[in-house]
Amino acid sequence: MEKHDRRSSGGSGAGTIQPTALDIYSEVQRGAAFREVRRRYRRFAFPAAAAFLLWYLAYVVTAIAAPGLMARQVAGALNVAMVAGLAQFATTFLLTWAYARHARLHRDPAALELRWAVTLETRQDPVPVPGLPSARRADVPALPSRGEHR
């Protein structure tokens, strides 16, 4: 596969080879900070997924292997199977909360630093189009103003 390099234009660095976005992303992926973010994700996600899967399978296996236990009344019309089934829902919400908290406290700050660094390295200034405001591109049609119908 052929590598496409960008050459800078103007200034004292004219003619120097600039790394492509692919080069930058590959370098980040090989870096220690990226590996740390991935490690933090895996240290939470894999055990949590395994625990939830085991809990779910325990519910199913118990329902098949011990129907008498699952039919045992707990309170009124509630039996063990219904309580365990509702606990599955509660566990899902608890796991979602724990995942969001873990991400916010342990991964998001490091991931945002990486994202910011990559954004700064891969940022390209937009090419101005004569006659158009700098925020618009030539291939994007203007939206009609309020009250104007097409």
Side-chain angles (χ1 to χ4, degrees):
M1 177 180 251
E2 186 177 318
K3 208 185 251 189
H4 298 284
D5 292 326
R6 257 186 339 191
R7 297 193 184 273
S8 67
S9 59
S12 62
T16 61
I17 296 176
Q18 297 292 322
T20 63
L22 179 61
D23 295 332
I24 294 168
Y25 287 122
S26 296
E27 183 181 331
V28 167
Q29 191 173 14
R30 287 188 302 268
F34 183 80
R35 285 195 311 266
E36 179 63 20
V37 170
R38 294 288 300 201
R39 185 187 68 79
R40 289 177 184 179
Y41 168 76
R42 289 178 179 149
R43 284 187 62 179
F44 180 86
F46 291 163
F52 187 78
L53 183 61
L54 285 173
W55 161 226
Y56 174 75
L57 290 176
Y59 173 78
V60 172
V61 169
T62 305
I64 293 169
L69 172 67
M70 296 298 264
R72 188 170 293 154
Q73 296 296 317
V74 174
L78 284 176
N79 59 20
V80 173
M82 293 174 79
V83 170
L86 292 172
Q88 290 280 323
F89 283 104
T91 304
T92 302
F93 290 112
L94 179 67
L95 187 59
T96 302
W97 170 82
Y99 176 81
R101 183 178 184 276
H102 179 269
R104 185 181 70 247
L105 296 176
H106 299 287
R107 286 193 337 265
D108 288 353
L112 286 173
E113 281 183 33
L114 273 174
R115 184 177 184 186
W116 182 250
V118 170
T119 299
L120 290 177
E121 288 188 43
T122 60
R123 184 177 75 185
Q124 294 180 16
D125 293 329
V127 177
V129 177
L132 290 177
S134 61
R136 284 204 54 238
R137 292 184 359 209
D139 60 339
V140 179
L143 294 174
S145 63
R146 187 172 224 162
E148 181 183 327
H149 298 286
R150 288 189 175 188

